[in-house]
Amino acid sequence: MILDEKNRKNLVFLILQFFDEEGYEESLHLLEQDSRVFFDFSYFSNAILNGNFKEADDYLLAFTRPEANTYSRKMFFDLFKRKLSEAPDRSGGSEAVNIFSKDLRRIPVLKDDSFDDLVEVIAVDDMRISEETCCVDKAPGRAKLCVDLHKLAESNPCLCDKLEFPSLNKSALLSLISLICPNCSGRNGGLKEDLICLILQFLYEAKYKNTLHKLEQETKVFFNLNYLAEVMKLGEYGKAEEYLGAFTDSKDNKYSKAMFLEIQKLICLQSTEWEVATPSGSLDNMSPKIKLHASVAMLAKKNPVLKDKLKFPSMEKSRLLTLMKQTMDWWTSSTCNSSSSLENVPVVSYLCGTPSSLRKKFNKTGPRKKVVNCKPNEINDPSQCNALVLPDYCSEERIARLTYSPSGDYILALAEDAAHNLWTWSSSQNEFCKYTPRILKENVFPKPRLHQPQSGKTMKNEMAASVQNSTSCFAIKGSYLFSTSGGKIAVFDLKSFEKVASFGSPTPMATYFIFIPGDLLAVGLDDGSIYIHCLSSRKVKEKLEGHDQKITCLAFSRCFNVLVSSDSDGKLCLWSTKSWVKLTSKNSTRKFCTQSNHESTSLVTHLQFDPYQIELLVVHEGWIGIYEGRTLDCRLQWVPDESDTSITSATYSSDGEIIYVGFRSGFIKIVDSRTFMTVCRINLTSFTQPSPNSIRYSFRAHTSILIQTMM
């Protein structure tokens, strides 16, 4: 029982984080109040600062009562005192009277009370407020109240252990669910929708009704017809309209319009108290009120917006809590045994309901068959697609590498002549973040500028002896750039462009490198070896050997703590970053269905884990595939159409829902990451001028910029 309670509390914290990340604000704060595991003082203080004293009072009441202890009594008293001081009718109006008769009456009078505070509140002089006093800024007084209340909360035994939220990895709950069910694409709505259904079941079993029905409204995954009938039966038609309005609008279709109209009729019946008792039986014999209730239910079942959301998936009791307990048991066991293997991770074939029909179509032991696409929508005109072209790039050298900074405040490019170019959005590093809402809502782009430090220095790598065989790559760590163009790895200060260090040797040549948590740098070489450098000690920690050809890509998963490497022969290797043991290896060039006009190539050009760090995107010139991050099994493959040219790049969107695929002829395809169905095709004419120079020298830059902007 103790273990179940501990798991329940931990699960609530994971759900709270999920609500916060997904923007389910009302569900978030209702669950805080229903569960009482975390007192969000920031939310509480913001309510006070905004003058929402009732909201603050209700939130505090969920955790403690005035009679609980001296600290709680003082908190409520100070809150009511401030509320009274700001009442617009303190000279005796209704609001002031209500505060005295209702709020202050709740404050218990203890034996040691001196009544000094109460006398201060009701002093005659204090009650007379001049017109000037009413106009005084209330912010300082509210801010001081928040400071005082925080001190009281820290000493309050009902609150002191609920003020700190535990440290969790980003998207912790979704990552755990993905770990448990890595192959599950969920029901039609996907993994998040299945997780929401699991949470709804948990809330129902925990009797968190307020949170349950608010989450139904905020997520729009399940329309609870029983709840709608219940509130209508209680005559709470305002709640009924609010609940229905979260899912549909009267203008959506004739069924929605009729549902709102039936509720209005019920309100009319309630206001006129007109109800005729008739015998039960057929619809014709029912009373007007019962007829209207039945009509609302019937319309909901016919409504195209609602009918697919009426059935809640069947699942075992306490499904989410059980899954979390299994995961925690495995984690505890693997930690105690110091095991780095992922083979014993508890895996389920589905989360709730039955496995999706899509998964049944494919062999579990092998890769899926090519996905057949319908003709996608095409974007040809610049008015259909907003593009951003970086200015002042005068070189005729091709762009070898292009990336945003981790914070998005600049763009860095590495050309094939080993020179770097850096574009910033403005002099302020935070300016890009300020532009983001406008970019999304108004399609207004900030103006980039080519950055050059006052010293006039440039960042340029050593060139390889043989330019044809050289490989360019870079990685950013804080304000430092690690970069190579076939020679040594150079380290540049991005603020001054000064070269501060270099390491490695031209032979064997570094071909790819990434940073790994723990102050580590993984460097792949053209002889197939991988070196793990510890940056703090400046020593080589490990040398990984499993490839015979040059390393083309590296990718790290925070979820599994594994490193994936690929070579020019298409071999993939999976390494544990705890023990640096090779867990498995797979050949990504198994005989897939390919088009006749595509050259057969084994070269892997890009590796990328999805945002949840569960599945791996593997990019070849002739196709792309989705691999399981802990086994390297290919579960889905996408082959371009016969008319398409070879693939030059592919990347996940920021939410992992879609993949952008760039082609050598200049167009981009957007495909669904779960089904690989093509969403649309963006042709070159929509985002660049059709001149030979722009296509030849800047195509990769244009493509990458467009992809990043659309993300």
Side-chain angles (χ1 to χ4, degrees):
M1 187 66 185
I2 296 176
L3 182 61
D4 287 343
E5 178 61 20
K6 183 179 179 181
N7 285 335
R8 185 196 69 83
K9 185 175 179 180
N10 290 336
L11 179 55
V12 170
F13 280 123
L14 292 171
I15 293 173
L16 287 172
Q17 184 204 38
F18 176 75
F19 285 176
D20 183 56
E21 291 178 342
E22 294 299 316
Y24 305 144
E25 290 293 327
E26 294 187 63
S27 299
L28 169 69
H29 299 305
L30 281 174
L31 182 56
E32 288 166 354
Q33 298 171 66
D34 286 343
S35 64
R36 297 191 293 276
V37 300
F38 174 64
F39 186 91
D40 189 347
F41 196 88
S42 175
Y43 168 75
F44 176 67
S45 60
N46 282 336
I48 295 173
L49 293 173
N50 293 325
N52 300 323
F53 294 105
K54 186 181 185 305
E55 182 180 348
D57 180 28
D58 291 341
Y59 191 77
L60 184 59
L61 274 172
F63 293 85
T64 185
R65 297 281 172 178
E67 63 271 16
N69 55 60
T70 304
Y71 300 99
S72 294
R73 171 185 168 277
K74 179 64 173 171
M75 290 182 74
F76 281 100
F77 186 86
D78 288 351
L79 187 61
F80 299 153
K81 178 181 173 182
R82 185 71 212 173
K83 183 178 178 181
L84 176 64
S85 70
E86 291 190 17
D89 51 356
R90 289 192 49 203
S91 58
S94 59
E95 184 172 338
V97 171
N98 286 336
I99 294 172
F100 272 109
S101 63
K102 295 181 180 178
D103 295 342
L104 289 175
R105 183 177 293 179
R106 288 158 46 195
I107 306 296
V109 179
L110 304 180
K111 292 181 180 180
D112 58 343
D113 280 342
S114 61
F115 295 96
D116 290 341
D117 289 337
L118 187 59
V119 171
E120 179 187 342
V121 175
I122 62 175
V124 176
D125 291 338
D126 193 71
M127 292 292 291
R128 297 186 186 128
I129 302 180
S130 63
E131 185 175 346
E132 293 80 3
T133 309
C134 294
C135 300
V136 172
D137 185 9
K138 300 170 184 176
R142 293 175 181 175
K144 183 180 183 304
L145 173 61
C146 291
V147 173
D148 295 337
L149 291 176
H150 190 268
K151 292 178 181 178
L152 290 168
E154 289 179 322
S155 303
N156 194 328
C158 295
L159 302 175
C160 61
D161 61 341
K162 301 174 181 178
L163 296 174
E164 294 293 329
F165 198 87
S167 178
L168 298 173
N169 291 335
K170 186 178 180 181
S171 305
L173 180 57
L174 202 56
S175 297
L176 282 173
I177 291 297
S178 301
L179 177 66
I180 295 168
C181 193
N183 295 333
C184 182
S185 61
R187 299 186 298 111
N188 292 336
L191 194 64
K192 281 187 183 178
E193 185 171 315
D194 272 356
L195 175 56
I196 289 167
C197 289
L198 290 172
I199 294 173
L200 287 172
Q201 185 207 37
F202 171 77
L203 295 174
Y204 175 78
E205 292 178 345
K207 296 180 172 57
Y208 296 150
K209 283 192 174 181
N210 292 333
T211 310
L212 171 69
H213 300 308
K214 183 55 66 177
L215 183 63
E216 289 167 352
Q217 296 173 63
E218 287 193 299
T219 59
K220 301 176 182 61
V221 169
F222 171 62
F223 185 84
N224 194 332
L225 193 55
N226 289 335
Y227 171 72
L228 183 66
E230 179 185 337
V231 294
M232 289 195 302
K233 185 177 181 180
L234 295 172
E236 298 176 336
Y237 299 116
K239 279 188 177 180
E241 283 189 311
E242 179 186 357
Y243 189 81
L244 179 60
F247 292 84
T248 185
D249 185 83
S250 60
K251 298 179 182 178
D252 284 348
N253 54 61
K254 62 180 181 180
Y255 300 100
S256 295
K257 184 177 181 180
M259 289 180 75
F260 280 103
L261 183 60
E262 302 293 66
I263 295 176
Q264 286 297 317
K265 291 178 182 178
L266 285 165
I267 295 173
C268 181
L269 280 176
Q270 186 182 49
S271 62
T272 58
E273 298 183 354
W274 175 55
E275 181 65 39
V276 180
T278 56
S280 59
S282 66
L283 190 63
D284 293 334
N285 293 328
M286 291 181 182
S287 68
K289 183 176 179 180
I290 296 176
K291 283 183 180 180
L292 290 170
H293 282 212
S295 176
V296 169
M298 180 184 64
L299 289 166
K301 294 174 183 178
K302 293 182 177 181
N303 195 324
V305 177
L306 302 177
K307 65 179 182 180
D308 293 331
K309 301 175 181 178
L310 296 176
K311 187 177 181 180
F312 194 83
S314 60
M315 62 185 84
E316 298 87 347
K317 185 179 180 181
S318 305
R319 176 69 168 163
L320 182 56
L321 194 60
T322 302
L323 292 174
M324 290 299 101
K325 186 179 182 299
Q326 290 174 356
T327 307
M328 293 306 297
D329 290 344
W330 166 81
W331 182 84
T332 303
S333 174
S334 62
T335 302
C336 294
N337 297 330
S338 301
S339 173
S340 61
S341 175
L342 297 172
E343 295 180 355
N344 297 324
V345 178
V347 174
V348 295
S349 59
Y350 64 94
L351 294 176
C352 56
T354 57
S356 66
S357 58
L358 178 65
R359 197 179 307 107
K360 293 179 181 177
K361 297 179 182 178
F362 302 98
N363 187 346
K364 293 182 179 179
T365 60
R368 298 182 179 181
K369 302 311 172 222
K370 176 179 176 285
V371 176
V372 179
N373 288 318
C374 299
K375 187 175 181 180
N377 295 327
E378 291 201 14
I379 298 176
N380 298 301
D381 192 83
S383 63
Q384 299 174 280
C385 182
N386 290 296
L388 179 64
V389 180
L390 298 178
D392 304 323
Y393 182 69
C394 302
S395 173
E396 293 191 351
E397 294 290 337
R398 288 170 54 93
I399 299 297
R401 289 288 185 270
L402 185 75
T403 187
Y404 273 111
S405 69
S407 59
D409 54 347
Y410 63 83
I411 291 177
L412 184 67
L414 172 59
E416 290 188 344
D417 64 354
H420 299 84
N421 288 275
L422 188 150
W423 289 268
T424 59
W425 304 109
S426 71
S427 58
S428 170
Q429 290 188 343
N430 296 324
E431 194 68 23
F432 181 71
C433 297
K434 296 178 182 177
Y435 270 109
T436 302
R438 293 186 64 199
I439 293 174
L440 296 177
K441 294 181 179 179
E442 304 174 23
N443 293 324
V444 176
F445 293 97
K447 292 183 179 180
R449 62 180 180 85
L450 186 64
H451 177 68
Q452 182 66 44
Q454 293 182 351
S455 63
K457 291 185 177 180
T458 59
M459 296 184 292
K460 192 162 186 176
N461 293 329
E462 295 179 6
M463 293 287 290
S466 175
V467 179
Q468 290 183 345
N469 297 326
S470 66
T471 303
S472 300
C473 59
F474 58 47
I476 300 170
K477 184 175 178 64
S479 60
Y480 292 95
L481 169 68
F482 289 62
S483 182
T484 184
S485 296
K488 291 184 177 182
I489 298 176
V491 183
F492 295 96
D493 186 332
L494 288 171
K495 296 179 180 178
S496 63
F497 284 14
E498 182 179 357
K499 183 178 179 180
V500 296
S502 63
F503 60 95
S505 60
T507 307
M509 179 175 60
T511 54
Y512 205 94
F513 46 82
I514 60 170
F515 291 104
I516 298 176
D519 206 29
L520 301 178
L521 177 70
V523 181
L525 305 177
D526 63 354
D527 65 355
S529 59
I530 302 170
Y531 284 82
I532 308 300
H533 293 262
C534 180
L535 297 177
S536 56
S537 64
R538 298 188 178 183
K539 293 181 180 179
V540 175
K541 185 175 182 179
E542 295 286 343
K543 180 183 179 182
L544 310 182
E545 295 181 316
H547 294 277
D548 297 325
Q549 303 297 322
K550 77 171 183 177
I551 303 299
T552 58
C553 296
L554 298 169
F556 170 74
S557 168
R558 296 187 303 273
C559 180
F560 299 132
N561 286 316
V562 293
L563 176 71
V564 180
S565 56
S566 64
D567 63 26
S568 56
D569 269 353
K571 183 180 181 180
L572 301 176
C573 289
L574 185 71
W575 313 86
S576 166
T577 57
K578 298 297 184 182
S579 62
W580 299 112
V581 173
K582 184 172 73 171
L583 302 176
T584 188
S585 62
K586 295 289 176 71
N587 187 350
S588 68
T589 57
R590 289 175 292 176
K591 293 183 179 180
F592 291 112
C593 175
T594 57
Q595 304 296 343
S596 58
N597 67 332
H598 289 147
E599 295 182 3
S600 177
T601 175
S602 58
L603 180 67
V604 175
T605 60
H606 183 59
L607 296 176
Q608 182 188 9
F609 275 97
D610 74 329
Y612 308 111
Q613 304 287 288
I614 301 297
E615 295 182 328
L616 180 72
L617 173 64
V618 178
V619 183
H620 289 253
E621 288 189 0
W623 55 273
I624 64 174
I626 300 293
Y627 286 67
E628 296 179 22
R630 37 182 210 95
T631 61
L632 293 185
D633 291 331
C634 182
R635 71 164 191 82
L636 192 61
Q637 182 213 13
W638 183 76
V639 179
D641 298 331
E642 291 186 10
S643 59
D644 296 341
T645 54
S646 59
I647 297 171
T648 57
S649 60
T651 184
Y652 275 111
S653 62
S654 58
D655 59 4
E657 297 293 324
I658 56 177
I659 297 173
Y660 301 97
V661 186
F663 292 83
R664 189 166 301 280
S665 58
F667 65 87
I668 298 169
K669 281 191 176 182
I670 299 177
V671 299
D672 186 287
S673 64
R674 291 191 179 92
T675 64
F676 273 177
M677 297 298 292
T678 302
V679 178
C680 71
R681 167 175 167 150
I682 306 174
N683 290 321
L684 187 64
T685 54
S686 66
F687 58 87
T688 188
Q689 296 295 326
S691 64
N693 288 338
S694 64
I695 296 175
R696 179 181 178 185
Y697 300 119
S698 304
F699 159 65
R700 293 186 67 181
H702 284 309
T703 303
S704 299
I705 293 169
L706 181 69
I707 290 173
Q708 295 284 357
T709 301
M710 294 181 67
M711 287 168 64

